[in-house]
Amino acid sequence: MQTVSRYLLNNVVIVYTSGYHGRNSTVYDRRIKLYKGVSNPLSFTFKNEDQKAQDITAKTYEFNLIDSETKQSVVTRNLTILDDGSTTSTKGTASITVTEGDLLTLDAKFYNYAIREVAADNTRTVTFADSFYNAAGTVEVLDGAYPDMIDSTEINSFTSTTGPLTQTSSAIDANPGINNNVALHTIAIYQKSFVGTLRIQGTMVSTPGDADYFDVATISFDSNSDAITYYNFTGVYQNVRFSWGNTSGNTGRVDKILYRH
C-alpha cells in the first residue's frame, strides 16, 4: 500500500504598504502557483517595513492578474478583508479566490499580479510585492494536476429519415470505457418555439441501426418558448441519439443539443 501525504495549506503572501528603511528586508517575492481545474484561495498579509501587520479595516484593495505578454489584466477582483477576531480592528489580512472559471481560458505560463489600494475618491495607491519597491509579483498558472474541462458535444443536425420521431440525430459516442455503472449524462436543449416530444435513446452496439436503440427517457415540451431546458440521465451506452417531433399544429424546432458525459 502506498501512503501519500497531502497538505492543506493557506497560500499566504506578504504585501508591503509603506517604504523601506533597511530593516527586516525581504529579498524577493514568493511566486504564487495557481492550478487549472480547481479554485485557488489566496491570502495577503499587509505589513510595513518592520514586518508589522497594518490596520486595513476600512480599506479596499484590488487584485489584478496580468498577462506578461499582452500586458492586459485577465482577472480583476476586490479582496475581502478578513476579521482577525479582535474587538478593535482587522489586522492586515485580506483574501481572494481565483476560481476554476477564471483560469479556464488562460494558458499555463507565467503571469504578473499587482495589488493596489482604491480610495473612496477612486484614487489608486501602489502596494509592493517586496521591500525593494517592486509592485508586481509573479504567478505561475499550471495545468495537468487536475482533469481538463472538455467541451460539450453539440448536436445541431437532425434528419427526417430515421428514428422514432420526425427528426433524429446521428449516433453520438457515449464513451462507455471511461464511465461506470451510474455514469451521469447531461444535456442542454435549445428550442425555438417548440411544443412536442424529445426522446433520448441508447445502444450498446458500435455501429447501430434503428432496431438497436432502446428508449432511455422521453421529455415533453408543453409551452411555446425559447427557453433552454436541462436534463440529466444515467447509464453506460456505446452510443446515444436524440429524436424529436412536434405536436399537431406546432412549427417550432429543437435548434441544438449540448451533450456532456
Side-chain angles (χ1 to χ4, degrees):
M1 177 183 294
Q2 299 184 66
T3 302
V4 181
S5 298
R6 299 292 291 179
Y7 299 91
L8 301 178
L9 305 175
N10 290 325
N11 210 342
V12 180
V13 183
I14 297 174
V15 180
Y16 291 91
T17 59
S18 57
Y20 171 58
H21 302 293
R23 299 186 297 270
N24 303 312
S25 63
T26 298
V27 178
Y28 56 87
D29 71 290
R30 182 174 65 81
R31 181 187 303 163
I32 299 173
K33 293 185 177 183
L34 302 179
Y35 291 89
K36 300 185 70 170
V38 292
S39 292
N40 296 261
L42 303 174
S43 295
F44 297 91
T45 300
F46 291 78
K47 296 184 177 182
N48 64 9
E49 69 277 6
D50 292 323
Q51 303 290 320
K52 293 182 178 179
Q54 300 299 289
D55 184 1
I56 59 172
T57 308
K59 295 186 176 182
T60 300
Y61 292 97
E62 180 186 82
F63 171 91
N64 280 279
L65 183 64
I66 303 162
D67 190 313
S68 57
E69 298 173 1
T70 66
K71 310 304 180 185
Q72 299 295 309
S73 177
V74 293
V75 176
T76 300
R77 193 83 43 75
N78 284 347
L79 274 67
T80 300
I81 308 300
L82 301 180
D83 186 355
D84 67 352
S86 67
T87 58
T88 56
S89 65
T90 299
K91 279 289 188 179
T93 303
S95 70
I96 182 179
T97 296
V98 181
T99 67
E100 179 180 353
D102 290 332
L103 302 178
L104 187 61
T105 60
L106 299 187
D107 294 330
K109 63 179 185 179
F110 289 99
Y111 294 79
N112 294 326
Y113 79 90
I115 296 174
R116 53 190 178 183
E117 182 180 338
V118 183
D121 62 358
N122 217 34
T123 301
R124 287 168 167 79
T125 305
V126 65
T127 67
F128 301 101
D130 56 36
S131 51
F132 289 97
Y133 301 105
N134 293 309
T138 305
V139 169
E140 184 179 9
V141 175
L142 298 153
D143 62 9
Y146 299 95
D148 290 336
M149 180 68 71
I150 300 173
D151 290 339
S152 299
T153 300
E154 181 174 327
I155 301 100
N156 55 23
S157 178
F158 303 90
T159 66
S160 58
T161 56
T162 62
L165 299 173
T166 307
Q167 301 289 327
T168 304
S169 73
S170 59
I172 301 109
D173 187 359
N175 290 320
I178 63 173
N179 286 317
N180 56 36
N181 289 335
V182 291
L184 176 65
H185 305 253
T186 300
I187 56 174
I189 306 155
Y190 292 71
Q191 67 255 32
K192 297 291 185 182
S193 303
F194 175 67
V195 177
T197 301
L198 175 75
R199 190 168 297 171
I200 304 168
Q201 294 192 310
T203 179
M204 289 306 298
V205 177
S206 297
T207 308
D210 286 346
D212 297 315
Y213 284 96
F214 52 86
D215 290 346
V216 174
T218 299
I219 308 168
S220 296
F221 295 84
D222 300 322
S223 61
N224 188 325
S225 79
D226 294 342
I228 302 172
T229 299
Y230 300 94
Y231 189 83
N232 295 327
F233 60 98
T234 58
V236 178
Y237 315 102
Q238 184 70 48
N239 291 283
V240 296
R241 71 177 183 179
F242 305 97
S243 185
W244 58 270
N246 303 80
T247 59
S248 178
N250 178 254
T251 58
R253 71 182 190 275
V254 173
D255 191 46
K256 66 179 179 180
I257 297 173
L258 298 183
Y259 170 58
R260 295 186 65 84
H261 55 83

mmCIF file of all heavy atoms in Angstrom, residues 13-14 26-32 113 129-130 134 136-139:
data_model
loop_
_atom_site.group_PDB
_atom_site.id
_atom_site.type_symbol
_atom_site.label_atom_id
_atom_site.label_comp_id
_atom_site.label_asym_id
_atom_site.label_seq_id
_atom_site.Cartn_x
_atom_site.Cartn_y
_atom_site.Cartn_z
ATOM 1 N N VAL A 13 0.543 35.462 1.175
ATOM 2 C CA VAL A 13 1.517 36.331 0.521
ATOM 3 C C VAL A 13 1.614 37.623 1.319
ATOM 4 O O VAL A 13 0.612 38.182 1.759
ATOM 5 C CB VAL A 13 1.084 36.643 -0.930
ATOM 6 C CG1 VAL A 13 2.138 37.491 -1.631
ATOM 7 C CG2 VAL A 13 0.840 35.348 -1.701
ATOM 8 N N ILE A 14 2.828 38.146 1.510
ATOM 9 C CA ILE A 14 3.047 39.405 2.224
ATOM 10 C C ILE A 14 3.025 40.554 1.233
ATOM 11 O O ILE A 14 3.658 40.503 0.180
ATOM 12 C CB ILE A 14 4.377 39.390 2.998
ATOM 13 C CG1 ILE A 14 4.344 38.304 4.082
ATOM 14 C CG2 ILE A 14 4.657 40.745 3.615
ATOM 15 C CD1 ILE A 14 5.667 38.129 4.802
ATOM 16 N N THR A 26 12.882 41.898 2.749
ATOM 17 C CA THR A 26 12.542 40.702 2.002
ATOM 18 C C THR A 26 13.217 40.788 0.648
ATOM 19 O O THR A 26 12.987 41.721 -0.117
ATOM 20 C CB THR A 26 11.013 40.589 1.822
ATOM 21 O OG1 THR A 26 10.417 40.488 3.118
ATOM 22 C CG2 THR A 26 10.651 39.360 1.006
ATOM 23 N N VAL A 27 14.089 39.825 0.327
ATOM 24 C CA VAL A 27 14.931 39.924 -0.849
ATOM 25 C C VAL A 27 14.111 39.790 -2.132
ATOM 26 O O VAL A 27 14.348 40.474 -3.115
ATOM 27 C CB VAL A 27 16.033 38.848 -0.799
ATOM 28 C CG1 VAL A 27 16.907 38.889 -2.054
ATOM 29 C CG2 VAL A 27 16.895 39.063 0.447
ATOM 30 N N TYR A 28 13.103 38.897 -2.160
ATOM 31 C CA TYR A 28 12.302 38.710 -3.364
ATOM 32 C C TYR A 28 10.907 38.232 -2.963
ATOM 33 O O TYR A 28 10.705 37.742 -1.854
ATOM 34 C CB TYR A 28 12.948 37.703 -4.311
ATOM 35 C CG TYR A 28 13.232 36.347 -3.674
ATOM 36 C CD1 TYR A 28 12.259 35.353 -3.661
ATOM 37 C CD2 TYR A 28 14.460 36.078 -3.086
ATOM 38 C CE1 TYR A 28 12.500 34.132 -3.073
ATOM 39 C CE2 TYR A 28 14.717 34.857 -2.482
ATOM 40 C CZ TYR A 28 13.736 33.885 -2.492
ATOM 41 O OH TYR A 28 13.987 32.678 -1.898
ATOM 42 N N ASP A 29 9.948 38.432 -3.873
ATOM 43 C CA ASP A 29 8.595 37.968 -3.597
ATOM 44 C C ASP A 29 8.499 36.470 -3.845
ATOM 45 O O ASP A 29 9.248 35.908 -4.637
ATOM 46 C CB ASP A 29 7.583 38.701 -4.493
ATOM 47 C CG ASP A 29 7.689 38.259 -5.948
ATOM 48 O OD1 ASP A 29 8.690 38.596 -6.606
ATOM 49 O OD2 ASP A 29 6.771 37.574 -6.409
ATOM 50 N N ARG A 30 7.572 35.821 -3.145
ATOM 51 C CA ARG A 30 7.353 34.392 -3.337
ATOM 52 C C ARG A 30 6.396 34.181 -4.494
ATOM 53 O O ARG A 30 5.344 34.801 -4.569
ATOM 54 C CB ARG A 30 6.780 33.774 -2.061
ATOM 55 C CG ARG A 30 6.562 32.268 -2.181
ATOM 56 C CD ARG A 30 6.131 31.696 -0.838
ATOM 57 N NE ARG A 30 4.836 32.205 -0.419
ATOM 58 C CZ ARG A 30 3.675 31.722 -0.860
ATOM 59 N NH1 ARG A 30 3.664 30.765 -1.762
ATOM 60 N NH2 ARG A 30 2.535 32.218 -0.428
ATOM 61 N N ARG A 31 6.776 33.307 -5.413
ATOM 62 C CA ARG A 31 5.933 33.015 -6.574
ATOM 63 C C ARG A 31 4.653 32.310 -6.137
ATOM 64 O O ARG A 31 4.673 31.373 -5.350
ATOM 65 C CB ARG A 31 6.697 32.152 -7.563
ATOM 66 C CG ARG A 31 5.915 31.804 -8.839
ATOM 67 C CD ARG A 31 6.681 30.828 -9.677
ATOM 68 N NE ARG A 31 8.008 31.331 -10.015
ATOM 69 C CZ ARG A 31 8.994 30.573 -10.457
ATOM 70 N NH1 ARG A 31 8.817 29.259 -10.588
ATOM 71 N NH2 ARG A 31 10.158 31.096 -10.749
ATOM 72 N N ILE A 32 3.527 32.780 -6.661
ATOM 73 C CA ILE A 32 2.238 32.147 -6.411
ATOM 74 C C ILE A 32 1.986 31.109 -7.499
ATOM 75 O O ILE A 32 2.205 31.375 -8.678
ATOM 76 C CB ILE A 32 1.102 33.189 -6.410
ATOM 77 C CG1 ILE A 32 1.324 34.223 -5.306
ATOM 78 C CG2 ILE A 32 -0.252 32.512 -6.241
ATOM 79 C CD1 ILE A 32 0.329 35.364 -5.350
ATOM 80 N N TYR A 113 1.165 39.746 -11.114
ATOM 81 C CA TYR A 113 -0.005 40.213 -10.390
ATOM 82 C C TYR A 113 0.373 41.486 -9.648
ATOM 83 O O TYR A 113 1.549 41.740 -9.351
ATOM 84 C CB TYR A 113 -0.518 39.157 -9.402
ATOM 85 C CG TYR A 113 0.258 39.069 -8.112
ATOM 86 C CD1 TYR A 113 -0.095 39.832 -6.999
ATOM 87 C CD2 TYR A 113 1.360 38.229 -8.002
ATOM 88 C CE1 TYR A 113 0.623 39.758 -5.818
ATOM 89 C CE2 TYR A 113 2.084 38.149 -6.824
ATOM 90 C CZ TYR A 113 1.715 38.915 -5.734
ATOM 91 O OH TYR A 113 2.438 38.853 -4.573
ATOM 92 N N ALA A 129 5.287 44.198 -3.657
ATOM 93 C CA ALA A 129 5.422 42.755 -3.516
ATOM 94 C C ALA A 129 6.594 42.386 -2.619
ATOM 95 O O ALA A 129 6.661 41.265 -2.111
ATOM 96 C CB ALA A 129 5.598 42.099 -4.887
ATOM 97 N N ASP A 130 7.540 43.281 -2.463
ATOM 98 C CA ASP A 130 8.677 43.062 -1.576
ATOM 99 C C ASP A 130 9.127 44.411 -1.041
ATOM 100 O O ASP A 130 8.506 45.445 -1.316
ATOM 101 C CB ASP A 130 9.827 42.328 -2.289
ATOM 102 C CG ASP A 130 10.287 43.045 -3.546
ATOM 103 O OD1 ASP A 130 10.284 44.293 -3.562
ATOM 104 O OD2 ASP A 130 10.663 42.362 -4.515
ATOM 105 N N ASN A 134 9.212 46.732 -5.579
ATOM 106 C CA ASN A 134 8.687 46.049 -6.751
ATOM 107 C C ASN A 134 7.179 45.876 -6.581
ATOM 108 O O ASN A 134 6.719 45.215 -5.653
ATOM 109 C CB ASN A 134 9.355 44.683 -6.925
ATOM 110 C CG ASN A 134 10.827 44.808 -7.277
ATOM 111 O OD1 ASN A 134 11.189 45.534 -8.195
ATOM 112 N ND2 ASN A 134 11.681 44.110 -6.541
ATOM 113 N N ALA A 136 5.018 44.541 -8.854
ATOM 114 C CA ALA A 136 4.472 43.331 -9.472
ATOM 115 C C ALA A 136 5.048 42.085 -8.831
ATOM 116 O O ALA A 136 6.258 41.991 -8.601
ATOM 117 C CB ALA A 136 4.757 43.326 -10.978
ATOM 118 N N GLY A 137 4.180 41.134 -8.551
ATOM 119 C CA GLY A 137 4.605 39.810 -8.120
ATOM 120 C C GLY A 137 4.468 38.826 -9.262
ATOM 121 O O GLY A 137 4.004 39.174 -10.354
ATOM 122 N N THR A 138 4.838 37.581 -9.030
ATOM 123 C CA THR A 138 4.854 36.560 -10.074
ATOM 124 C C THR A 138 3.861 35.457 -9.763
ATOM 125 O O THR A 138 3.796 34.968 -8.629
ATOM 126 C CB THR A 138 6.260 35.947 -10.220
ATOM 127 O OG1 THR A 138 7.199 36.992 -10.454
ATOM 128 C CG2 THR A 138 6.308 34.968 -11.380
ATOM 129 N N VAL A 139 3.099 35.069 -10.775
ATOM 130 C CA VAL A 139 2.139 33.969 -10.671
ATOM 131 C C VAL A 139 2.467 32.952 -11.757
ATOM 132 O O VAL A 139 2.714 33.321 -12.910
ATOM 133 C CB VAL A 139 0.690 34.463 -10.853
ATOM 134 C CG1 VAL A 139 -0.265 33.288 -11.017
ATOM 135 C CG2 VAL A 139 0.268 35.325 -9.677
#
